[in-house]
Amino acid sequence: MTPPAIRIENLVKRYAAPKGAKGEDAAGKLALDGVSFDVPEGSIFGLLGPNGAGKSTLINILAGLVNKTDGQVDIWGFDIDRHRRNASRSIGIVPQEIVFDPFFTPFEVLENQGGFYGIPVRERRSEELLAAVRLSDKRNAYARTLSGGMKRRLMVAKAMVHSPPILVLDEPTAGVDVELRRQLWEMVTALNREGVTVVLTTHYLEEAEQLCDRIAIINHGQLIANKPTRELVNMAREKIVAVTVAADLAAAPAHEAFAKVEQTGPRGVEVTYDKDRMSAGQVLAILQEQGLTIEDVTTREADLEDVFVQLTGSGA
Ligand code: ADP
Ligand code: MG
């Protein structure tokens, strides 16, 4: 078995209380409450959770920007306390907040970062990285003149300057338009195909579902799920059969085995059922027994949103 790209064990972060805080606030904010999980090498791993769940805190601990209170973190096999330098060299992080010196050009931003990592000038990949994020034509523009989307792409290039085997993106597509989101997804999958392990946080369920092969869900600083995406989606037990019948319905059909029945039109009805208890075939058989002639059928799987709501007891 290959060791995980990242190993997180019993990670705890308590932010210090502001001076003069009273009552409950005096203990500070427990942002991570004993989180443990591994990120498998080669995966696209999604860390999903609502705002305030603790995602950025975890990412910032990986980045060395926040000190953990307790627990252990290994990045690429390097303990972040004992081997911080090697751990940092193994990971590239795109933080949630974009910060650039506005007077540097994209090329300079990447060259400076190369210098920061001590990469000899001849071995730097600034041009190649600019091409990869489609910013070659902005090579010499001031960073402050770039659009939000361009800045984000430049951040990805900056995170890859030292060719780390792991790339972490904190909310890469929050507040980003559809086109840029598509570009970011393409970049992420292309890097992953080249062998880069990718971790991304998001509160978009659909994004995690489409992009990630494994998803962990965090809520109130605790890990409440960590599974292959398919398994997680399968956790939602309810399935829906939508049927169109041959004649107008006098009333919506009813049966004790159905979880929910909704009439969607004069001849349309949607039956929600527990897939552990029955099959779509049985649903159709019951409808036929009730004298309905079925003309058309579609089924819908529960999606990640359903699972998320079940697990967190809240909407996304
Ligand atoms: P997420 O990224 O999932 O939205 P964060 O990790 O940013 O969540 O925040 C987790 C919790 O920790 C929130 O309640 C937030 O208010 C709190 N928090 C984050 N940063 C700090 C900080 N520097 N000082 C105190 N509390 C913080
Ligand atoms: Mg965050």
Side-chain angles (χ1 to χ4, degrees), residues 217-247:
I217 299 179
I218 186 172
N219 197 28
H220 299 303
Q222 293 179 334
L223 205 73
I224 56 175
N226 173 16
K227 289 185 186 307
T229 306
R230 200 87 300 279
E231 262 181 52
L232 200 66
V233 171
N234 280 339
M235 279 173 65
R237 293 198 318 276
E238 295 195 328
K239 256 185 107 164
I240 294 165
V241 191
V243 298
T244 307
V245 294

PDB file of all heavy atoms in Angstrom, residues 217-247:
ATOM      1  N   ILE A 217     -16.743  15.203   4.599  1.00  0.00           N
ATOM      2  CA  ILE A 217     -17.637  16.297   4.979  1.00  0.00           C
ATOM      3  C   ILE A 217     -17.317  16.720   6.401  1.00  0.00           C
ATOM      4  O   ILE A 217     -17.183  15.886   7.306  1.00  0.00           O
ATOM      5  CB  ILE A 217     -19.119  15.885   4.873  1.00  0.00           C
ATOM      6  CG1 ILE A 217     -19.459  15.504   3.421  1.00  0.00           C
ATOM      7  CG2 ILE A 217     -20.033  17.033   5.330  1.00  0.00           C
ATOM      8  CD1 ILE A 217     -20.891  15.056   3.212  1.00  0.00           C
ATOM      9  N   ILE A 218     -17.152  18.017   6.583  1.00  0.00           N
ATOM     10  CA  ILE A 218     -16.825  18.564   7.896  1.00  0.00           C
ATOM     11  C   ILE A 218     -17.926  19.542   8.289  1.00  0.00           C
ATOM     12  O   ILE A 218     -18.433  20.286   7.458  1.00  0.00           O
ATOM     13  CB  ILE A 218     -15.412  19.213   7.853  1.00  0.00           C
ATOM     14  CG1 ILE A 218     -14.946  19.664   9.212  1.00  0.00           C
ATOM     15  CG2 ILE A 218     -15.350  20.358   6.885  1.00  0.00           C
ATOM     16  CD1 ILE A 218     -13.488  20.124   9.205  1.00  0.00           C
ATOM     17  N   ASN A 219     -18.310  19.480   9.548  1.00  0.00           N
ATOM     18  CA  ASN A 219     -19.376  20.356  10.045  1.00  0.00           C
ATOM     19  C   ASN A 219     -19.060  20.685  11.503  1.00  0.00           C
ATOM     20  O   ASN A 219     -18.752  19.793  12.289  1.00  0.00           O
ATOM     21  CB  ASN A 219     -20.730  19.640   9.933  1.00  0.00           C
ATOM     22  CG  ASN A 219     -21.899  20.601  10.023  1.00  0.00           C
ATOM     23  OD1 ASN A 219     -21.780  21.775   9.655  1.00  0.00           O
ATOM     24  ND2 ASN A 219     -23.026  20.120  10.512  1.00  0.00           N
ATOM     25  N   HIS A 220     -19.100  21.936  11.863  1.00  0.00           N
ATOM     26  CA  HIS A 220     -18.773  22.350  13.235  1.00  0.00           C
ATOM     27  C   HIS A 220     -17.458  21.736  13.724  1.00  0.00           C
ATOM     28  O   HIS A 220     -17.373  21.246  14.842  1.00  0.00           O
ATOM     29  CB  HIS A 220     -19.903  21.970  14.196  1.00  0.00           C
ATOM     30  CG  HIS A 220     -21.206  22.628  13.878  1.00  0.00           C
ATOM     31  ND1 HIS A 220     -21.351  23.999  13.800  1.00  0.00           N
ATOM     32  CD2 HIS A 220     -22.419  22.104  13.593  1.00  0.00           C
ATOM     33  CE1 HIS A 220     -22.599  24.294  13.486  1.00  0.00           C
ATOM     34  NE2 HIS A 220     -23.274  23.166  13.345  1.00  0.00           N
ATOM     35  N   GLY A 221     -16.446  21.713  12.868  1.00  0.00           N
ATOM     36  CA  GLY A 221     -15.132  21.236  13.268  1.00  0.00           C
ATOM     37  C   GLY A 221     -14.992  19.734  13.414  1.00  0.00           C
ATOM     38  O   GLY A 221     -13.956  19.251  13.874  1.00  0.00           O
ATOM     39  N   GLN A 222     -16.027  18.992  13.033  1.00  0.00           N
ATOM     40  CA  GLN A 222     -15.958  17.535  13.134  1.00  0.00           C
ATOM     41  C   GLN A 222     -16.192  16.887  11.778  1.00  0.00           C
ATOM     42  O   GLN A 222     -17.020  17.356  10.997  1.00  0.00           O
ATOM     43  CB  GLN A 222     -16.992  17.015  14.132  1.00  0.00           C
ATOM     44  CG  GLN A 222     -16.673  17.443  15.560  1.00  0.00           C
ATOM     45  CD  GLN A 222     -17.704  16.955  16.554  1.00  0.00           C
ATOM     46  OE1 GLN A 222     -18.861  16.719  16.206  1.00  0.00           O
ATOM     47  NE2 GLN A 222     -17.285  16.832  17.803  1.00  0.00           N
ATOM     48  N   LEU A 223     -15.462  15.789  11.545  1.00  0.00           N
ATOM     49  CA  LEU A 223     -15.628  15.054  10.302  1.00  0.00           C
ATOM     50  C   LEU A 223     -16.852  14.154  10.439  1.00  0.00           C
ATOM     51  O   LEU A 223     -16.924  13.330  11.354  1.00  0.00           O
ATOM     52  CB  LEU A 223     -14.380  14.205  10.046  1.00  0.00           C
ATOM     53  CG  LEU A 223     -14.126  13.873   8.583  1.00  0.00           C
ATOM     54  CD1 LEU A 223     -13.631  15.115   7.866  1.00  0.00           C
ATOM     55  CD2 LEU A 223     -13.123  12.759   8.466  1.00  0.00           C
ATOM     56  N   ILE A 224     -17.808  14.322   9.540  1.00  0.00           N
ATOM     57  CA  ILE A 224     -19.014  13.508   9.671  1.00  0.00           C
ATOM     58  C   ILE A 224     -19.150  12.489   8.543  1.00  0.00           C
ATOM     59  O   ILE A 224     -20.027  11.643   8.588  1.00  0.00           O
ATOM     60  CB  ILE A 224     -20.293  14.376   9.768  1.00  0.00           C
ATOM     61  CG1 ILE A 224     -20.401  15.321   8.570  1.00  0.00           C
ATOM     62  CG2 ILE A 224     -20.310  15.166  11.068  1.00  0.00           C
ATOM     63  CD1 ILE A 224     -21.702  16.103   8.574  1.00  0.00           C
ATOM     64  N   ALA A 225     -18.270  12.547   7.552  1.00  0.00           N
ATOM     65  CA  ALA A 225     -18.264  11.527   6.503  1.00  0.00           C
ATOM     66  C   ALA A 225     -16.931  11.583   5.782  1.00  0.00           C
ATOM     67  O   ALA A 225     -16.277  12.630   5.757  1.00  0.00           O
ATOM     68  CB  ALA A 225     -19.397  11.760   5.512  1.00  0.00           C
ATOM     69  N   ASN A 226     -16.519  10.453   5.234  1.00  0.00           N
ATOM     70  CA  ASN A 226     -15.282  10.377   4.456  1.00  0.00           C
ATOM     71  C   ASN A 226     -15.367   9.122   3.608  1.00  0.00           C
ATOM     72  O   ASN A 226     -15.107   8.027   4.093  1.00  0.00           O
ATOM     73  CB  ASN A 226     -14.083  10.328   5.403  1.00  0.00           C
ATOM     74  CG  ASN A 226     -12.775  10.076   4.653  1.00  0.00           C
ATOM     75  OD1 ASN A 226     -12.701  10.224   3.433  1.00  0.00           O
ATOM     76  ND2 ASN A 226     -11.746   9.681   5.392  1.00  0.00           N
ATOM     77  N   LYS A 227     -15.762   9.283   2.372  1.00  0.00           N
ATOM     78  CA  LYS A 227     -16.058   8.116   1.540  1.00  0.00           C
ATOM     79  C   LYS A 227     -15.795   8.402   0.071  1.00  0.00           C
ATOM     80  O   LYS A 227     -15.791   9.559  -0.343  1.00  0.00           O
ATOM     81  CB  LYS A 227     -17.546   7.750   1.655  1.00  0.00           C
ATOM     82  CG  LYS A 227     -17.953   7.159   2.980  1.00  0.00           C
ATOM     83  CD  LYS A 227     -19.402   6.725   2.931  1.00  0.00           C
ATOM     84  CE  LYS A 227     -19.884   6.252   4.277  1.00  0.00           C
ATOM     85  NZ  LYS A 227     -19.036   5.226   4.879  1.00  0.00           N
ATOM     86  N   PRO A 228     -15.628   7.299  -0.718  1.00  0.00           N
ATOM     87  CA  PRO A 228     -15.630   7.512  -2.166  1.00  0.00           C
ATOM     88  C   PRO A 228     -16.929   8.210  -2.559  1.00  0.00           C
ATOM     89  O   PRO A 228     -17.987   7.923  -1.976  1.00  0.00           O
ATOM     90  CB  PRO A 228     -15.592   6.090  -2.731  1.00  0.00           C
ATOM     91  CG  PRO A 228     -14.995   5.259  -1.641  1.00  0.00           C
ATOM     92  CD  PRO A 228     -15.434   5.894  -0.357  1.00  0.00           C
ATOM     93  N   THR A 229     -16.849   9.120  -3.525  1.00  0.00           N
ATOM     94  CA  THR A 229     -18.017   9.925  -3.903  1.00  0.00           C
ATOM     95  C   THR A 229     -19.243   9.062  -4.182  1.00  0.00           C
ATOM     96  O   THR A 229     -20.344   9.361  -3.723  1.00  0.00           O
ATOM     97  CB  THR A 229     -17.665  10.784  -5.139  1.00  0.00           C
ATOM     98  OG1 THR A 229     -16.494  11.520  -4.834  1.00  0.00           O
ATOM     99  CG2 THR A 229     -18.793  11.737  -5.497  1.00  0.00           C
ATOM    100  N   ARG A 230     -19.027   7.987  -4.944  1.00  0.00           N
ATOM    101  CA  ARG A 230     -20.145   7.111  -5.299  1.00  0.00           C
ATOM    102  C   ARG A 230     -20.860   6.562  -4.056  1.00  0.00           C
ATOM    103  O   ARG A 230     -22.067   6.591  -3.961  1.00  0.00           O
ATOM    104  CB  ARG A 230     -19.583   5.966  -6.148  1.00  0.00           C
ATOM    105  CG  ARG A 230     -20.546   5.225  -6.981  1.00  0.00           C
ATOM    106  CD  ARG A 230     -20.846   5.760  -8.376  1.00  0.00           C
ATOM    107  NE  ARG A 230     -21.411   7.091  -8.515  1.00  0.00           N
ATOM    108  CZ  ARG A 230     -22.694   7.427  -8.366  1.00  0.00           C
ATOM    109  NH1 ARG A 230     -23.582   6.546  -8.010  1.00  0.00           N
ATOM    110  NH2 ARG A 230     -23.110   8.646  -8.582  1.00  0.00           N
ATOM    111  N   GLU A 231     -20.065   6.117  -3.092  1.00  0.00           N
ATOM    112  CA  GLU A 231     -20.653   5.546  -1.869  1.00  0.00           C
ATOM    113  C   GLU A 231     -21.439   6.591  -1.095  1.00  0.00           C
ATOM    114  O   GLU A 231     -22.494   6.318  -0.535  1.00  0.00           O
ATOM    115  CB  GLU A 231     -19.550   5.013  -0.951  1.00  0.00           C
ATOM    116  CG  GLU A 231     -19.325   3.531  -1.075  1.00  0.00           C
ATOM    117  CD  GLU A 231     -18.225   3.093  -0.115  1.00  0.00           C
ATOM    118  OE1 GLU A 231     -18.300   3.403   1.087  1.00  0.00           O
ATOM    119  OE2 GLU A 231     -17.263   2.468  -0.606  1.00  0.00           O
ATOM    120  N   LEU A 232     -20.876   7.787  -1.078  1.00  0.00           N
ATOM    121  CA  LEU A 232     -21.531   8.859  -0.346  1.00  0.00           C
ATOM    122  C   LEU A 232     -22.883   9.176  -0.974  1.00  0.00           C
ATOM    123  O   LEU A 232     -23.887   9.351  -0.288  1.00  0.00           O
ATOM    124  CB  LEU A 232     -20.632  10.089  -0.361  1.00  0.00           C
ATOM    125  CG  LEU A 232     -20.887  11.130   0.701  1.00  0.00           C
ATOM    126  CD1 LEU A 232     -20.580  10.567   2.080  1.00  0.00           C
ATOM    127  CD2 LEU A 232     -20.049  12.357   0.448  1.00  0.00           C
ATOM    128  N   VAL A 233     -22.878   9.248  -2.294  1.00  0.00           N
ATOM    129  CA  VAL A 233     -24.126   9.532  -2.993  1.00  0.00           C
ATOM    130  C   VAL A 233     -25.129   8.405  -2.752  1.00  0.00           C
ATOM    131  O   VAL A 233     -26.324   8.633  -2.598  1.00  0.00           O
ATOM    132  CB  VAL A 233     -23.869   9.748  -4.501  1.00  0.00           C
ATOM    133  CG1 VAL A 233     -25.174   9.819  -5.275  1.00  0.00           C
ATOM    134  CG2 VAL A 233     -23.071  11.028  -4.713  1.00  0.00           C
ATOM    135  N   ASN A 234     -24.602   7.169  -2.706  1.00  0.00           N
ATOM    136  CA  ASN A 234     -25.487   6.027  -2.458  1.00  0.00           C
ATOM    137  C   ASN A 234     -26.099   6.043  -1.068  1.00  0.00           C
ATOM    138  O   ASN A 234     -27.068   5.341  -0.800  1.00  0.00           O
ATOM    139  CB  ASN A 234     -24.736   4.708  -2.651  1.00  0.00           C
ATOM    140  CG  ASN A 234     -24.639   4.358  -4.126  1.00  0.00           C
ATOM    141  OD1 ASN A 234     -25.430   4.847  -4.930  1.00  0.00           O
ATOM    142  ND2 ASN A 234     -23.673   3.542  -4.473  1.00  0.00           N
ATOM    143  N   MET A 235     -25.482   6.826  -0.180  1.00  0.00           N
ATOM    144  CA  MET A 235     -26.001   6.870   1.191  1.00  0.00           C
ATOM    145  C   MET A 235     -27.395   7.483   1.261  1.00  0.00           C
ATOM    146  O   MET A 235     -28.142   7.231   2.190  1.00  0.00           O
ATOM    147  CB  MET A 235     -25.063   7.679   2.093  1.00  0.00           C
ATOM    148  CG  MET A 235     -23.879   6.875   2.558  1.00  0.00           C
ATOM    149  SD  MET A 235     -22.756   7.963   3.427  1.00  0.00           S
ATOM    150  CE  MET A 235     -23.770   8.406   4.836  1.00  0.00           C
ATOM    151  N   ALA A 236     -27.688   8.313   0.296  1.00  0.00           N
ATOM    152  CA  ALA A 236     -29.048   8.856   0.279  1.00  0.00           C
ATOM    153  C   ALA A 236     -29.942   7.686  -0.130  1.00  0.00           C
ATOM    154  O   ALA A 236     -29.801   7.127  -1.192  1.00  0.00           O
ATOM    155  CB  ALA A 236     -29.145   9.998  -0.709  1.00  0.00           C
ATOM    156  N   ARG A 237     -30.848   7.328   0.723  1.00  0.00           N
ATOM    157  CA  ARG A 237     -31.595   6.097   0.493  1.00  0.00           C
ATOM    158  C   ARG A 237     -32.774   6.305  -0.438  1.00  0.00           C
ATOM    159  O   ARG A 237     -33.306   5.379  -0.993  1.00  0.00           O
ATOM    160  CB  ARG A 237     -32.083   5.523   1.819  1.00  0.00           C
ATOM    161  CG  ARG A 237     -30.966   5.023   2.721  1.00  0.00           C
ATOM    162  CD  ARG A 237     -31.522   4.098   3.774  1.00  0.00           C
ATOM    163  NE  ARG A 237     -32.774   4.592   4.320  1.00  0.00           N
ATOM    164  CZ  ARG A 237     -32.860   5.490   5.304  1.00  0.00           C
ATOM    165  NH1 ARG A 237     -31.763   5.981   5.833  1.00  0.00           N
ATOM    166  NH2 ARG A 237     -34.024   5.876   5.756  1.00  0.00           N
ATOM    167  N   GLU A 238     -33.179   7.540  -0.603  1.00  0.00           N
ATOM    168  CA  GLU A 238     -34.394   7.756  -1.381  1.00  0.00           C
ATOM    169  C   GLU A 238     -34.104   7.882  -2.874  1.00  0.00           C
ATOM    170  O   GLU A 238     -33.105   8.449  -3.281  1.00  0.00           O
ATOM    171  CB  GLU A 238     -35.118   9.009  -0.872  1.00  0.00           C
ATOM    172  CG  GLU A 238     -35.593   8.798   0.544  1.00  0.00           C
ATOM    173  CD  GLU A 238     -36.616   9.823   1.004  1.00  0.00           C
ATOM    174  OE1 GLU A 238     -36.533  10.960   0.553  1.00  0.00           O
ATOM    175  OE2 GLU A 238     -37.482   9.451   1.811  1.00  0.00           O
ATOM    176  N   LYS A 239     -34.990   7.267  -3.636  1.00  0.00           N
ATOM    177  CA  LYS A 239     -34.935   7.375  -5.091  1.00  0.00           C
ATOM    178  C   LYS A 239     -36.285   7.837  -5.581  1.00  0.00           C
ATOM    179  O   LYS A 239     -37.295   7.674  -4.904  1.00  0.00           O
ATOM    180  CB  LYS A 239     -34.618   6.002  -5.694  1.00  0.00           C
ATOM    181  CG  LYS A 239     -33.190   5.856  -6.177  1.00  0.00           C
ATOM    182  CD  LYS A 239     -32.962   4.535  -6.861  1.00  0.00           C
ATOM    183  CE  LYS A 239     -32.817   4.705  -8.350  1.00  0.00           C
ATOM    184  NZ  LYS A 239     -32.220   3.521  -8.991  1.00  0.00           N
ATOM    185  N   ILE A 240     -36.277   8.399  -6.770  1.00  0.00           N
ATOM    186  CA  ILE A 240     -37.528   8.938  -7.307  1.00  0.00           C
ATOM    187  C   ILE A 240     -37.823   8.298  -8.666  1.00  0.00           C
ATOM    188  O   ILE A 240     -36.930   8.166  -9.503  1.00  0.00           O
ATOM    189  CB  ILE A 240     -37.431  10.470  -7.460  1.00  0.00           C
ATOM    190  CG1 ILE A 240     -37.318  11.105  -6.071  1.00  0.00           C
ATOM    191  CG2 ILE A 240     -38.634  11.028  -8.212  1.00  0.00           C
ATOM    192  CD1 ILE A 240     -36.868  12.535  -6.068  1.00  0.00           C
ATOM    193  N   VAL A 241     -39.077   7.848  -8.839  1.00  0.00           N
ATOM    194  CA  VAL A 241     -39.543   7.402 -10.156  1.00  0.00           C
ATOM    195  C   VAL A 241     -40.570   8.411 -10.633  1.00  0.00           C
ATOM    196  O   VAL A 241     -41.544   8.683  -9.933  1.00  0.00           O
ATOM    197  CB  VAL A 241     -40.263   6.031 -10.085  1.00  0.00           C
ATOM    198  CG1 VAL A 241     -40.484   5.493 -11.502  1.00  0.00           C
ATOM    199  CG2 VAL A 241     -39.496   5.049  -9.262  1.00  0.00           C
ATOM    200  N   ALA A 242     -40.348   8.968 -11.807  1.00  0.00           N
ATOM    201  CA  ALA A 242     -41.330   9.884 -12.393  1.00  0.00           C
ATOM    202  C   ALA A 242     -42.024   9.145 -13.528  1.00  0.00           C
ATOM    203  O   ALA A 242     -41.355   8.577 -14.396  1.00  0.00           O
ATOM    204  CB  ALA A 242     -40.639  11.138 -12.904  1.00  0.00           C
ATOM    205  N   VAL A 243     -43.348   9.110 -13.515  1.00  0.00           N
ATOM    206  CA  VAL A 243     -44.062   8.409 -14.582  1.00  0.00           C
ATOM    207  C   VAL A 243     -45.077   9.343 -15.241  1.00  0.00           C
ATOM    208  O   VAL A 243     -45.593  10.268 -14.623  1.00  0.00           O
ATOM    209  CB  VAL A 243     -44.815   7.143 -14.055  1.00  0.00           C
ATOM    210  CG1 VAL A 243     -43.854   6.139 -13.477  1.00  0.00           C
ATOM    211  CG2 VAL A 243     -45.877   7.516 -13.033  1.00  0.00           C
ATOM    212  N   THR A 244     -45.310   9.065 -16.509  1.00  0.00           N
ATOM    213  CA  THR A 244     -46.407   9.702 -17.227  1.00  0.00           C
ATOM    214  C   THR A 244     -47.422   8.601 -17.526  1.00  0.00           C
ATOM    215  O   THR A 244     -47.040   7.530 -18.015  1.00  0.00           O
ATOM    216  CB  THR A 244     -45.914  10.317 -18.547  1.00  0.00           C
ATOM    217  OG1 THR A 244     -44.810  11.170 -18.256  1.00  0.00           O
ATOM    218  CG2 THR A 244     -47.012  11.119 -19.227  1.00  0.00           C
ATOM    219  N   VAL A 245     -48.670   8.848 -17.195  1.00  0.00           N
ATOM    220  CA  VAL A 245     -49.697   7.823 -17.408  1.00  0.00           C
ATOM    221  C   VAL A 245     -50.534   8.186 -18.635  1.00  0.00           C
ATOM    222  O   VAL A 245     -50.470   9.309 -19.138  1.00  0.00           O
ATOM    223  CB  VAL A 245     -50.599   7.640 -16.154  1.00  0.00           C
ATOM    224  CG1 VAL A 245     -49.783   7.080 -15.002  1.00  0.00           C
ATOM    225  CG2 VAL A 245     -51.253   8.958 -15.764  1.00  0.00           C
ATOM    226  N   ALA A 246     -51.324   7.209 -19.110  1.00  0.00           N
ATOM    227  CA  ALA A 246     -52.028   7.355 -20.394  1.00  0.00           C
ATOM    228  C   ALA A 246     -53.243   8.266 -20.318  1.00  0.00           C
ATOM    229  O   ALA A 246     -53.639   8.859 -21.316  1.00  0.00           O
ATOM    230  CB  ALA A 246     -52.432   5.974 -20.917  1.00  0.00           C
ATOM    231  N   ALA A 247     -53.853   8.371 -19.157  1.00  0.00           N
ATOM    232  CA  ALA A 247     -55.065   9.199 -19.035  1.00  0.00           C
ATOM    233  C   ALA A 247     -54.937  10.138 -17.841  1.00  0.00           C
ATOM    234  O   ALA A 247     -54.156   9.878 -16.917  1.00  0.00           O
ATOM    235  CB  ALA A 247     -56.278   8.286 -18.839  1.00  0.00           C
TER     236      ALA A 247
END
